[in-house]
Amino acid sequence: MTDITFITKTKQLIDSLKSVCANYGLGNDGNEFKIITQVFLYKFMNDKFAYEAKKLEDYKLGDAPNFQEALEALDEEQYNFLLAFIDANTPQLYPHQTITYLHNKQNSNDFAKLFDDTLREISINNAEIYSVKSASGAKDKMFDELSNFISDASQRDAFCKALISKLFEFSFEGMFNEKYDFFATIFEYLIKDYNTDSGGKYAEYYTPHAVARIMASIMVNDKPKGVKVYDPSAGSGTLLMNIAHAIGEDNCSIYSEDISQKSSNMLRLNLVLNNLSHSIPHIIKGNTILEPYYREEKFDYIVSNPPFKLDFSDFSVALDKDINKTRFFAGIPNIPKAKKESMAIYLLFIQHIMYSLSARGKGAIVVPTGFITAQSGIERKIREAMIERKLLRGVVSMPSNIFASTGTNVSVLFLDNRADAEHIVLVDASKLGATVKEGKNQRTILSPLEEQRIVDAMNKKVAEVDFSVLVSAEDIKAKNYSFSAGQYFEVRIDYVDITAQEFTFKMQGFEEQLNALFEEGNCLDIEIQKQLKTFTYNDK
């Protein structure tokens, strides 16, 4: 099965699940998102278990003409050994929990109950690997009782049978022996209907893949091992997936926090799809700014696309304990009396990230481009601290509309506790990219060559006219701590050699043009005076 075939079939599966939801009155319903993502997770777990079980040579399950029958034929002792030998990150299923088993039982009475009970059992049996934890320590359940989303109880059996029929149509197994980077494309397709203005706030968490790739390529230019990677506002995990691929899934552990239950569930699915199930216990659903679960942890790599605008007025007073002591050294943004959605909560995330870096830590943070030049307030204090601590490695100012969901211009800060303060790289990529239309929005798309140009400028410390510049910490201090590349570009004057005759001819031409403009101006003055004399007073 080729990449294109696999992508196409996966998209067809997602579309067919959406069709089932629509046929039972759940199209664009708030619960449709839960149904599709949870059923998709069940399908992936089922096929992953089958793939790993068939690899165990002692059981010959891969050679069996009917895998389900061979699985059911194992006695209890044999099955326990099978579960013990299977890879630790593989979901553990029993014969009566497979999709094939449920497909064969579709004529059973009360099928919806059988379906829900099966998913509940799988959730309990795999809680240690797949459950997301809240800040309080409580673990969530992987699957809801999906049949209960159908209000008409008489339709629940048919609804669950329709879901199982769609899941039974093809298998993921053929792709598990290869590593493919197109999971990101599948994931983007999966959530595209939930990443629009009408879909709530989920668009806040979505980072373009180009930005994520650039951040990962700049941060990871070696092959570290045993490192901790953290995102304090993880969303669906696009940034985490890209940096994990760059480091190597086996060489890193993923840690994340996010206040959204929806994004935590999507991140769990993304970790499963990307062979990072071992990091699921580190996913925390909680308020990073108010009660950071990983307050005392230090991380080797931190990536973040924090929310730029989010109301934190309900807990801003409680943050005072962190001022000038630990995290929020530069202060807490003021709470505006109006337009609370304009709160600069991202400034709190930047300070939290600086606080959370290990001694060898590296960070990459998406910020509004206005942050890099603001000359007062918390923004200025943070930039000063980055320079004084020799923490700034470089900045990339991205093209406008790189995010389809917002018109805010963004830049990416690159931090490194081992940064070279004499060779800080500032890149102005604002003129790159091609503009395309996505729905009602315009979006700028970077080509692979343009992405590589940005990465090379940062990693190779390349100075390029009107694109990138190398500056020192002292240079930045002299420019009032501006991180904008444009303020450091040299003003160039192009000189052209001409003869005395050519010079005289040019000057005569300029003089003639100027005289013509003066003459035209005089005519306009006379005409205006004539028009003024025609005005008369009328009291009616």
Side-chain angles (χ1 to χ4, degrees):
M1 190 183 294
T2 65
D3 293 12
I4 298 300
T5 302
F6 179 69
I7 293 171
T8 301
K9 286 185 173 293
T10 304
K11 289 181 177 180
Q12 288 173 350
L13 172 60
I14 295 168
D15 286 340
S16 65
L17 293 175
K18 289 179 180 178
S19 176
V20 171
C21 290
N23 290 338
Y24 288 87
L26 294 173
N28 296 320
D29 182 89
N31 294 315
E32 182 189 33
F33 173 86
K34 291 183 178 180
I35 294 167
I36 291 173
T37 54
Q38 291 182 26
V39 169
F40 193 88
L41 176 59
Y42 173 42
K43 171 64 174 173
F44 196 90
M45 293 174 68
N46 176 90
D47 291 1
K48 180 67 173 175
F49 169 77
Y51 171 76
E52 295 293 342
K54 290 176 183 178
K55 286 167 57 178
L56 299 176
E57 295 183 2
D58 291 347
Y59 293 86
K60 307 296 182 184
L61 294 172
D63 299 328
N66 188 307
F67 172 74
Q68 182 65 30
E69 290 180 359
L71 203 64
E72 293 179 10
L74 297 176
D75 61 33
E76 183 178 354
E77 183 178 7
Q78 288 175 314
Y79 208 89
N80 287 335
F81 274 115
L82 182 148
L83 295 179
F85 289 138
I86 210 165
D87 182 86
N89 291 319
T90 300
Q92 297 198 349
L93 272 64
Y94 289 90
H96 67 279
Q97 296 170 342
T98 67
I99 289 172
T100 301
Y101 180 86
L102 292 181
H103 184 264
N104 293 339
K105 292 289 184 180
Q106 287 189 91
N107 292 328
S108 302
N109 294 328
D110 210 358
F111 183 80
K113 183 178 184 304
L114 175 62
F115 179 80
D116 288 337
D117 288 347
T118 299
L119 295 187
R120 187 185 307 109
E121 287 181 12
I122 294 173
S123 181
I124 293 171
N125 294 344
N126 294 274
E128 289 301 315
I129 301 177
Y130 289 97
S131 283
V132 172
K133 195 163 49 176
S134 69
S136 65
K139 291 186 176 181
D140 76 340
K141 55 184 180 180
M142 281 191 290
F143 303 108
D144 293 296
E145 294 188 352
L146 299 182
S147 70
N148 287 341
F149 291 134
I150 303 295
S151 56
D152 184 349
S154 66
Q155 290 188 318
R156 290 174 182 170
D157 284 351
F159 172 69
C160 293
K161 290 176 183 179
L163 292 177
I164 286 295
S165 293
K166 297 301 181 184
L167 298 182
F168 186 75
E169 288 178 358
F170 83 98
S171 172
F172 286 106
E173 290 180 47
M175 305 306 290
F176 286 139
N177 58 343
E178 302 287 346
K179 177 181 175 181
Y180 291 91
D181 289 333
F182 56 76
F183 277 125
T185 304
I186 297 168
F187 189 73
E188 181 178 358
Y189 184 78
L190 180 63
I191 67 171
K192 68 182 177 64
D193 288 346
Y194 310 101
N195 192 31
T196 61
D197 291 339
S198 61
K201 294 185 178 180
Y202 196 73
E204 294 172 3
Y205 307 114
Y206 187 74
T207 306
H209 297 302
V211 175
R213 283 192 298 268
I214 290 169
M215 290 168 69
S217 297
I218 290 172
M219 293 182 74
V220 184
N221 45 30
D222 53 8
K223 284 295 181 183
K225 293 186 178 181
V227 294
K228 293 182 177 180
V229 182
Y230 174 56
D231 189 337
S233 53
S236 60
T238 302
L239 292 176
L240 288 170
M241 297 309 104
N242 277 269
I243 194 167
H245 288 324
I247 294 171
E249 293 84 351
D250 295 334
N251 296 327
C252 65
S253 294
I254 300 294
Y255 295 77
S256 74
E257 297 185 77
D258 200 289
I259 200 168
S260 167
Q261 179 67 56
K262 178 186 287 185
S263 67
S264 295
N265 286 333
M266 291 299 286
L267 175 55
R268 169 172 53 195
L269 178 56
N270 217 356
L271 289 171
V272 173
L273 293 177
N274 284 274
N275 198 31
L276 287 159
S277 300
H278 61 275
S279 290
I280 290 178
H282 302 149
I283 301 174
I284 301 300
K285 186 190 79 66
N287 188 327
T288 306
I289 298 303
L290 178 61
E291 297 176 330
Y293 186 84
Y294 295 115
R295 178 190 287 271
E296 304 307 322
E297 292 276 355
K298 300 298 180 183
F299 299 96
D300 304 303
Y301 292 85
I302 302 179
V303 289
S304 179
N305 174 21
F308 294 173
K309 302 174 183 179
L310 195 65
D311 184 352
F312 63 97
S313 57
D314 290 343
F315 58 87
S316 62
V317 175
L319 302 177
D320 288 345
K321 63 180 181 293
D322 278 325
I323 296 178
N324 299 324
K325 296 177 182 178
T326 51
R327 292 189 296 161
F328 305 130
F329 64 90
I332 297 170
N334 293 326
I335 305 296
K337 294 180 180 178
K339 293 186 177 181
K340 290 188 176 182
E341 69 278 2
S342 67
M343 293 182 188
I345 192 171
Y346 77 94
L347 296 173
L348 297 175
F349 277 96
I350 296 175
Q351 295 176 79
H352 174 75
I353 290 167
M354 293 171 67
Y355 171 78
S356 300
L357 282 172
S358 69
R360 61 175 179 173
K362 299 179 181 181
I365 316 166
V366 179
V367 300
T369 292
F371 167 84
I372 67 176
T373 56
Q375 284 303 306
S376 62
I378 297 174
E379 294 93 333
R380 167 73 180 243
K381 290 180 182 178
I382 292 174
R383 296 203 313 276
E384 288 179 2
M386 289 178 178
I387 297 302
E388 296 301 330
R389 299 180 191 181
K390 297 182 179 179
L391 187 57
L392 184 68
R393 179 187 169 190
V395 178
V396 176
S397 295
M398 291 291 180
S400 59
N401 297 317
I402 195 76
F403 285 75
S405 57
T406 175
T408 303
N409 289 338
V410 303
S411 295
V412 182
L413 307 176
F414 290 92
L415 310 180
D416 190 338
N417 263 326
R418 299 177 179 179
D420 177 1
E422 296 302 313
H423 300 89
I424 299 168
V425 186
L426 304 180
V427 177
D428 181 3
S430 61
K431 298 180 180 65
L432 300 185
T435 302
V436 298
K437 189 149 187 173
E438 290 190 354
K440 297 179 181 178
N441 300 316
Q442 284 190 328
R443 182 176 176 184
T444 300
I445 303 295
L446 295 171
S447 70
L449 288 176
E450 288 173 323
E451 289 183 29
Q452 193 60 49
R453 184 182 175 191
I454 295 170
V455 172
D456 286 344
M458 286 293 299
N459 287 347
K460 297 180 180 179
K461 297 185 184 298
V462 176
E464 185 179 333
V465 174
D466 291 339
F467 179 70
S468 60
V469 63
L470 300 182
V471 298
S472 68
E474 292 302 318
D475 293 332
I476 290 178
K477 290 179 184 179
K479 288 285 188 179
N480 292 318
Y481 294 92
S482 171
F483 291 176
S484 173
Q487 294 194 22
Y488 299 87
F489 292 152
E490 291 184 10
V491 177
R492 302 188 314 280
I493 300 175
D494 294 328
Y495 294 93
V496 179
D497 291 331
I498 60 175
T499 65
Q501 185 178 3
E502 289 172 333
F503 175 78
T504 301
F505 181 76
K506 280 183 175 289
M507 294 304 294
Q508 287 176 346
F510 292 150
E511 185 176 356
E512 290 173 0
Q513 291 177 25
L514 195 58
N515 288 334
L517 290 172
F518 284 152
E519 185 176 346
E520 184 180 353
N522 289 332
C523 292
L524 289 172
D525 289 342
I526 294 171
E527 183 63 28
I528 290 172
Q529 290 176 356
K530 286 182 181 179
Q531 293 296 328
L532 286 173
K533 290 178 180 179
T534 63
F535 291 160
T536 59
Y537 175 75
N538 190 337
D539 61 355
K540 293 183 180 180

